[in-house]
Amino acid sequence: MSSTVDWESYPREAEAAVAAAGSLDAIEDVRVQYLGRRSALALALREVRDRETGMLLNGIRQKVEALVADREQALADAELDRRLREEVVDVTLPGDELAVGHLHPITQVRRMVENAFLGLGYEVRDDREVETVEYNFDKLAFDEWHPARSPRASFFFDDRHVLRTETSPSQIHAMEERPPPLYMVSIGRVYRRDAITATRYPIFHQFEGLAVDRGLTLADLKGTLLHVMRQLYGPERRVRFRTHYFPFTEPSIEPDVSCGICGGAGCRTCKFTGWIEMGGAGMVDPRVFENVGLDPEAWGGFAFGCGLERTAQLRHDIPDIRALWEGDLRVLRQF
Ligand code: DAH
């Protein structure tokens, strides 16, 4: 086989090919062709039987290897020069500005609520969104017939598990965790099977407060809500209570806050009543104390629950609740 190769012209051909190689890829091809395992040279070296041929072929190999290495080095240097020249980074140029976002209005309100209650010494907590029927309804003294227990009103997983319909189960968790005195606010998502409209959304947020101590009265509840409403809406606000019914409070009330648009004179926002409904509240029902093993004779308590969407809507005059869930930046950037 080696006899068919002209070993005198082999290095010259290789030299020409090396000279013609204009890139690192091309020089690699040349190396494979003239020095690689299947090259004529490598095959011939494998067949060598005498010292003379061996010296000849190894001489050729060393020469071609040196040619390839030199060219490779030259090409690599040229490439480095080119990159140093072309890929200059001007470190004095101003950088790309990072877009800075801001908090969603619901998060803003959530933090305001947290701050208002932290200022009163309340503990802020966050509970599970998948609740048991026991905590969402039974221990809160919901009667068997209560409409919220219907799968048409609430999202059930099975007979015993439901997406919480309110933050009130936090009351039970808090009272079961440790003995009173207890002052807590729980904030988070709740779920109801409502159709999406301008005023309702099947997911929304509530904050739920609970105070358990000795000798608490409706006056304490009213003072607490007045403080919080003034923190959220401004120092001029007034609070009033209307009687109502909730399973887990007795008496139960609905707190109203005076309308900030008209100052109480009556306008479209308050439907010309001067007052805006804020949620539900009341004195903890003795049955609830019994359900968590507390003596209703020894302890008193008040509780309240309000929607965060409603608070955000009132603060920013947002007429449609869907705007808070659609994530449209043209809307959200305004707040
Ligand atoms: N959980 C009630 C609701 O979602 C609101 C509520 C009413 C919460 C009375 C309370 C309360 O803590 O005492 O409609």
Side-chain angles (χ1 to χ4, degrees):
M1 172 170 208
S2 53
S3 56
T4 64
V5 179
D6 176 356
W7 292 116
E8 226 166 284
S9 58
Y10 195 89
R12 278 203 306 278
E13 277 171 30
E15 187 167 11
V18 163
S23 69
L24 288 169
D25 282 346
I27 195 69
E28 175 62 12
D29 289 344
V30 172
R31 197 191 60 73
V32 169
Q33 189 186 338
Y34 288 93
L35 297 167
R37 283 192 304 124
R38 307 206 156 276
S39 64
L41 183 60
L43 295 175
L45 272 164
R46 226 176 286 162
E47 307 283 309
V48 166
R49 294 287 173 266
D50 61 294
R51 181 180 143 81
E52 219 166 296
T53 319
M55 283 177 59
L56 168 73
L57 295 182
N58 271 314
I60 293 172
R61 184 170 60 85
Q62 279 170 6
K63 183 170 182 219
V64 177
E65 272 176 358
L67 288 168
V68 168
D70 284 353
R71 184 76 183 136
E72 213 167 36
Q73 186 63 52
L75 286 168
D77 288 351
E79 169 70 5
L80 182 60
D81 279 347
R82 185 192 64 76
R83 290 182 54 185
L84 287 174
R85 231 181 311 109
E86 288 175 12
E87 297 178 13
V88 173
V89 176
D90 182 350
V91 293
T92 66
L93 282 175
D96 292 336
E97 208 171 311
L98 281 182
V100 178
H102 69 285
L103 298 177
H104 190 280
I106 293 295
T107 308
Q108 293 177 26
V109 167
R110 180 190 187 122
R111 294 195 179 177
M112 293 179 74
V113 170
E114 285 172 0
N115 284 340
F117 282 100
L118 284 172
L120 290 173
Y122 279 53
E123 160 197 356
V124 177
R125 57 181 294 148
D126 183 21
D127 278 296
R128 62 197 71 165
E129 292 176 20
V130 176
E131 263 302 349
T132 58
V133 167
E134 185 186 9
Y135 281 81
N136 198 83
F137 297 122
D138 298 346
K139 291 197 174 191
L140 285 165
F142 277 66
D143 286 309
E144 285 307 321
W145 49 261
H146 196 286
R149 287 183 182 263
S150 163
R152 264 176 292 171
S154 307
F155 292 106
F156 283 86
F157 295 92
D158 53 40
D159 288 352
R160 292 180 40 237
H161 299 91
V162 64
L163 280 175
R164 68 176 176 188
T165 58
E166 51 186 0
T167 42
S168 304
S170 279
Q171 295 185 27
I172 306 296
H173 292 300
M175 285 188 281
E176 284 185 346
E177 269 168 28
R178 57 186 159 74
L182 176 72
Y183 293 84
M184 73 88 183
V185 64
S186 170
I187 313 178
R189 291 183 178 208
V190 301
Y191 301 83
R192 291 180 192 177
R193 285 190 70 171
D194 287 323
I196 296 174
T197 66
T199 55
R200 280 182 214 280
Y201 208 85
I203 312 176
F204 59 104
H205 296 78
Q206 288 186 334
F207 64 92
E208 180 89 15
L210 173 70
V212 180
D213 211 332
R214 297 192 196 276
L216 292 178
T217 69
L218 263 180
D220 297 307
L221 170 58
K222 192 165 186 176
T224 303
L225 286 179
L226 180 63
H227 171 80
V228 171
M229 293 306 149
R230 287 183 169 175
Q231 293 273 304
L232 293 179
Y233 299 113
E236 304 302 323
R237 295 308 181 103
R238 284 162 290 130
V239 165
R240 76 170 184 184
F241 286 175
R242 280 173 294 106
T243 53
H244 200 75
Y245 168 80
F246 293 105
F248 38 90
T249 42
E250 183 60 36
S252 298
I253 57 107
E254 281 194 328
D256 293 342
V257 63
S258 56
C259 180
I261 308 269
C262 60
C267 68
R268 239 187 31 180
T269 300
C270 60
K271 300 197 192 93
F272 301 97
T273 64
W275 296 94
I276 291 170
E277 290 179 25
M278 285 317 301
M283 303 307 290
V284 176
D285 192 300
R287 287 184 298 169
V288 173
F289 278 143
E290 280 162 12
N291 288 343
V292 296
L294 288 177
D295 179 1
E297 298 299 323
W299 297 101
F302 60 77
F304 47 86
C306 303
L308 284 189
E309 278 73 9
R310 183 162 184 70
T311 309
Q313 284 185 267
L314 285 173
R315 277 189 58 81
H316 298 300
D317 213 6
I318 303 171
D320 192 321
I321 195 172
R322 288 171 286 202
L324 293 170
W325 288 96
E326 282 164 353
D328 186 333
L329 289 178
R330 291 170 303 179
V331 175
L332 296 178
R333 283 206 177 104
Q334 299 174 58
F335 309 112

